[in-house]
Amino acid sequence: MTDRKDELAGNLAKVEQRIADACAAAGRSRDEVTLIVVTKTYPASDVRILSELGVRHVAENRDQDAAPKAAACSDLPLSWHFVGQLQTNKVRSVVGYADVVQSVDRSRLVTALSKEAVRAEREIGCLIQVALDAGESGRGERGGVAPEGIEELADLVAGSPGLRLDGLMTVAPLTGEYAGRQRAAFERLMDLSTDLRRAHPAANMVSAGMSADLEEAVAAGATHVRVGTAVLGVRPRLG
Ligand SMILES: *Cc1c(COP(=O)(O)O)cnc(C)c1O
């Protein structure tokens, strides 16, 4: 193995152990939790190595970086998740490679995604990104819609051709009542998921937890964790 492959294999094994331990501690089966490796800022060569090591889900947050990377890796059996704030002028590009958009947070975005999914003859999975620290505007600083806005957006996604409502996503807030309280934040997301599933039973994905707080997310009931740093290393720049 190359040095980089060794390094990624070692990191993946540690993350896998953390997920397994968290599942055991929560009395959950390991197969209830899917690892998504967040490859933002890292090259396509790393994505290729991760695929060789058995990773099946990767995530990116900027279309400019993600589009060429996904193109370079189009021969690999990977699902691509888009997890960043998404401008409508990037939607056509994102729909070209993303299987799931986890950052759906406003109706204009839903309309644009639907239009481009239909045009591309693709079905795009959508998670509503929830901002648990949304201010007066009803929106979070890093994207996301306030809990009060979930139902309307979910109904819109569910009724939009080319889109599939898969569930909810959140990032643990740095401000507001949930700052520093990841477990409470993720439990709140689970409650919101329970509400959502009353009207949309198939929308059972709950994407929460990153390198620093994946244990809290698994304990709360997350079905997907998004891990970057713990697998690939500390990112060279903010992303
Ligand atoms: C970067 C990012 C992650 C991964 O964060 P790490 O702390 O590197 O594990 C997860 N989710 C989103 C939305 C991100 O932007």
Side-chain angles (χ1 to χ4, degrees):
M1 283 208 269
T2 61
D3 288 352
R4 183 60 170 159
K5 191 167 183 180
D6 271 337
E7 184 184 1
L8 294 184
N11 290 347
L12 262 183
K14 280 183 214 144
V15 167
E16 175 54 39
Q17 189 62 51
R18 285 176 61 190
I19 296 172
D21 289 347
C23 285
R28 302 181 64 194
S29 162
R30 170 64 190 88
D31 59 18
E32 290 177 35
V33 179
T34 300
L35 169 65
I36 303 171
V37 178
V38 184
T39 49
K40 63 189 181 192
T41 79
Y42 285 95
S45 54
D46 280 351
V47 177
R48 194 162 284 280
I49 293 172
L50 290 168
S51 177
E52 288 167 12
L53 293 171
V55 169
R56 289 294 168 261
H57 296 266
V58 294
E60 289 281 331
N61 73 335
R62 286 161 52 96
D63 176 60
Q64 302 91 295
D65 304 330
K69 229 184 277 187
C73 296
S74 61
D75 59 315
L76 303 176
L78 291 170
S79 290
W80 291 79
H81 297 248
F82 192 87
V83 299
Q85 292 190 47
L86 181 51
Q87 292 161 348
T88 49
N89 63 353
K90 306 285 191 202
V91 164
R92 182 173 297 186
S93 173
V94 168
V95 162
Y97 57 86
D99 300 290
V100 180
V101 174
Q102 298 206 1
S103 45
V104 174
D105 62 358
R106 60 201 190 282
S107 53
R108 270 193 64 202
L109 183 55
V110 176
T111 311
L113 282 166
S114 174
K115 182 172 148 227
E116 295 301 334
V118 168
R119 182 199 299 266
E121 299 184 19
R122 297 203 66 208
E123 183 177 74
I124 306 295
C126 292
L127 302 188
I128 309 294
Q129 182 179 346
V130 182
L132 294 171
D133 58 351
E136 300 272 307
S137 65
R139 319 217 346 116
E141 286 202 1
R142 293 176 295 166
V145 64
E148 298 70 43
I150 296 172
E151 188 178 349
E152 188 185 335
L153 269 185
D155 290 346
L156 186 60
V157 170
S160 294
L163 304 184
R164 183 184 68 239
L165 180 67
D166 279 347
L168 301 180
M169 179 272 239
T170 204
V171 178
L174 299 172
T175 60
E177 62 173 313
Y178 290 106
R181 300 172 58 222
Q182 286 90 336
R183 177 74 187 265
F186 297 147
E187 281 173 354
R188 174 87 171 110
L189 187 71
M190 284 307 302
D191 288 343
L192 294 168
S193 169
T194 302
D195 292 345
L196 176 71
R197 280 176 284 140
R198 286 200 188 95
H200 303 281
N204 57 8
M205 269 179 73
V206 180
S207 173
M210 318 201 300
S211 293
D213 52 21
L214 74 85
E215 282 83 2
E216 285 83 354
V218 171
T223 62
H224 290 69
V225 293
R226 309 177 307 268
V227 180
T229 311
V231 173
L232 289 143
V234 176
R235 283 180 289 277
R237 59 179 164 83
L238 275 184

